[in-house]
Amino acid sequence: MKKLSVLIIVAFVLTVLSVNVVFAEDTMINIGILQLVEHAALDASYQGFVDALKEEGFEDGVNINIDYQNAQADQSNLMTISERFVKNKVDLILAIATPAAQAVASATTEIPILFTAVTDPVAARLVESNEKPGLNVTGTTDAGPIDKQLELLQEMFPDFKILGVIYNSSEVNSEVQAKQAEELATAM
């Protein structure tokens, strides 16, 4: 699933980059990357993106400039970095995690934005739908198969009656997954 997500993002990036290269082959392409916080999964998203670009011939400092910024889980940092990317007129923005994607999406409707590590981009109001994102924002989801997880839980513990879900009520991805788990568990 991760490889497919990375491939989709890279295909989109290559499309955007190739359009820019056609117009200005001697111009460096500027990519802003905004990551919410240091975390192994988010770090892997960043590294996978950079590695996939390199495999396709796009290398930082050679034919692209990558401006990688980590907001350290600070909302004001997210907004400041997003506004700086827009002010600097980067060619593309990669947003890693929902709050990062929301910040950059609120800062521009013109610069192409890719997101990753977003569980429900529709609920996060990043896209109109998963099938037709609309606007300048698209990306990949990290949503887990909650239905399969509950099926496995029921298989392992067929007599369970109560299911508790710990989630963060201030984080949209967490709320979406908790609600989905509740609906699916009720139907079991």
Side-chain angles (χ1 to χ4, degrees), residues 7-120:
L7 288 174
I8 291 169
I9 287 177
V10 169
F12 181 80
V13 169
L14 293 176
T15 301
V16 170
L17 295 179
S18 66
V19 169
N20 287 336
V21 170
V22 167
F23 294 112
E25 286 191 27
D26 60 340
T27 302
M28 294 288 274
I29 298 164
N30 297 304
I31 301 173
I33 300 178
L34 177 54
Q35 183 171 319
L36 172 63
V37 67
E38 189 174 322
H39 181 278
L42 303 180
D43 297 345
S45 294
Y46 165 74
Q47 194 58 54
F49 180 76
V50 171
D51 291 347
L53 286 174
K54 190 172 183 177
E55 286 176 19
E56 295 298 324
F58 294 95
E59 191 171 350
D60 189 24
V62 176
N63 51 3
I64 60 173
N65 287 320
I66 294 178
D67 182 359
Y68 169 76
Q69 299 293 317
N70 187 316
Q72 300 302 322
D74 183 296
Q75 189 65 35
S76 63
N77 286 347
L78 288 170
M79 295 310 300
T80 301
I81 295 165
S82 297
E83 291 165 3
R84 187 169 58 79
F85 285 163
V86 173
K87 181 179 158 252
N88 291 344
K89 298 181 180 176
V90 298
D91 299 301
L92 175 73
I93 300 172
L94 172 66
I96 305 174
T98 302
Q102 290 170 321
V104 295
S106 71
T108 182
T109 57
E110 295 177 14
I111 298 171
I113 299 169
L114 294 172
F115 61 79
T116 188
V118 173
T119 301
D120 191 336

